[in-house]
Amino acid sequence: DAKTTQPNSMESNEEEPVHLPCNHSTISGTDYIHWYRQLPSQGPEYVIHGLTSNVNNRMASLAIAEDRKSSTLILHRATLRDAAVYYCILKDNTDKLIFGTGTRLQVFP
Amino acid sequence: DTEVTQTPKHLVMGMTNKKSLKCEQHMGHRAMYWYKQKAKKPPELMFVYSYEKLSINESVPSRFSPECPNSSLLNLHLHALQPEDSALYLCASSHRFKGTEAFFGQGTRLTVV
């Protein structure tokens, strides 16, 4: 299973942008990069995914490095409801979705 | 309908009991997953079903027995559990394509006494 490395925790103030990094130096050419988040007392929630190009949706943006060895999840204006654990996951040709340790994001008013 | 429904939400069982966790989705997903999550840890993959057949078993003890009776339902049968099996059990489903998202239920909080 391809590994990802994320910082254990990050902090942000409300209404500021947040950049959550993820390193995945062993990514293979066909692995998709997925991001999920888990709010307290809830199941994980899909955020965004991409293969090579940067992606935007209503929740966030995903910036993927040209060599694909790293990516960054961007929350454009953090809110208190964005406080969660964010997981960066590589999805390969199997059906496995393996969670790493994730980044705990704290958002301060 | 983009929901994965898990029942029950909470379960307390003794070490000699037999119980089952249930998961249901109506999104036409043909991959379904069971995860176990201990407090302050990431979810750990237990089983994956693909087209109602068990495709991945992550070396889970036999006291956990999964079942997929049809494309919408996934069960996890529990027997002779230990207190250390107390955890949040999460179900998820997705299309069988790595470029698509998985949907998770809210989980069953299991306590083994």
Side-chain angles (χ1 to χ4, degrees), chain A residues 32-54:
Chain A
Y32 276 74
I33 301 160
H34 284 240
W35 284 81
Y36 286 77
R37 72 180 186 180
Q38 189 171 20
L39 280 64
S41 303
Q42 294 193 25
E45 172 188 32
Y46 167 79
V47 178
I48 201 166
H49 74 275
L51 182 60
T52 56
S53 306
N54 295 342

Side-chain angles (χ1 to χ4, degrees), chain A:
Chain A
D1 305 326
K3 295 277 192 205
T4 61
T5 304
Q6 299 177 252
N8 287 334
S9 63
M10 291 187 65
E11 297 177 355
S12 173
N13 293 318
E14 213 175 358
E15 299 193 7
E16 287 185 355
V18 181
H19 291 232
L20 298 166
C22 181
N23 286 321
H24 29 78
S25 57
T26 59
I27 191 170
S28 78
T30 57
D31 287 347
Y32 276 74
I33 301 160
H34 284 240
W35 284 81
Y36 286 77
R37 72 180 186 180
Q38 189 171 20
L39 280 64
S41 303
Q42 294 193 25
E45 172 188 32
Y46 167 79
V47 178
I48 201 166
H49 74 275
L51 182 60
T52 56
S53 306
N54 295 342
V55 184
N56 300 299
N57 67 20
R58 63 175 180 79
M59 287 181 72
S61 296
L62 176 60
I64 301 173
E66 201 168 328
D67 64 5
R68 302 207 329 124
K69 292 185 186 300
S70 66
S71 61
T72 303
L73 179 71
I74 303 163
L75 306 179
H76 294 286
R77 290 180 70 225
T79 71
L80 296 177
R81 288 174 296 179
D82 291 322
V85 180
Y86 287 79
Y87 296 101
C88 167
I89 301 169
L90 300 183
K91 195 142 192 285
D92 59 16
N93 287 319
T94 70
D95 287 318
K96 287 188 178 185
L97 195 63
I98 304 292
F99 287 77
T101 52
T103 297
R104 182 172 300 275
L105 175 66
Q106 290 182 280
V107 181
F108 297 105

Side-chain angles (χ1 to χ4, degrees), chain B:
Chain B
D1 181 4
T2 57
E3 262 193 29
V4 173
T5 304
Q6 289 189 244
T7 54
K9 289 189 170 29
H10 301 274
L11 179 63
V12 179
M13 62 184 290
M15 289 188 283
T16 58
N17 290 158
K18 285 185 184 182
K19 296 285 185 185
S20 297
L21 310 185
K22 183 179 169 182
C23 173
E24 195 166 1
Q25 56 89 14
H26 297 285
M27 294 176 276
H29 292 166
R30 304 310 293 272
M32 295 187 77
Y33 309 76
W34 279 116
Y35 286 84
K36 173 183 177 180
Q37 187 173 27
K38 302 283 272 185
K40 299 198 182 302
K41 297 289 187 184
E44 291 177 41
L45 183 64
M46 299 174 72
F47 303 103
V48 181
Y49 271 81
S50 174
Y51 291 98
E52 296 90 69
K53 290 192 178 355
L54 183 65
S55 60
I56 297 172
N57 176 343
E58 293 285 90
S59 303
V60 179
S62 60
R63 57 186 184 268
F64 295 91
S65 175
E67 179 197 21
C68 191
N70 61 54
S71 59
S72 300
L73 279 176
L74 186 66
N75 298 321
L76 186 63
H77 302 298
L78 314 172
H79 174 54
L81 295 193
Q82 303 296 310
E84 57 265 29
D85 296 320
S86 299
L88 181 68
Y89 288 84
L90 293 160
C91 174
S93 71
S94 73
H95 289 298
R96 287 203 69 251
F97 169 53
K98 58 189 174 183
T100 186
E101 67 265 38
F103 291 80
F104 283 80
Q106 294 303 298
T108 294
R109 175 77 57 191
L110 174 69
T111 303
V112 182
V113 296

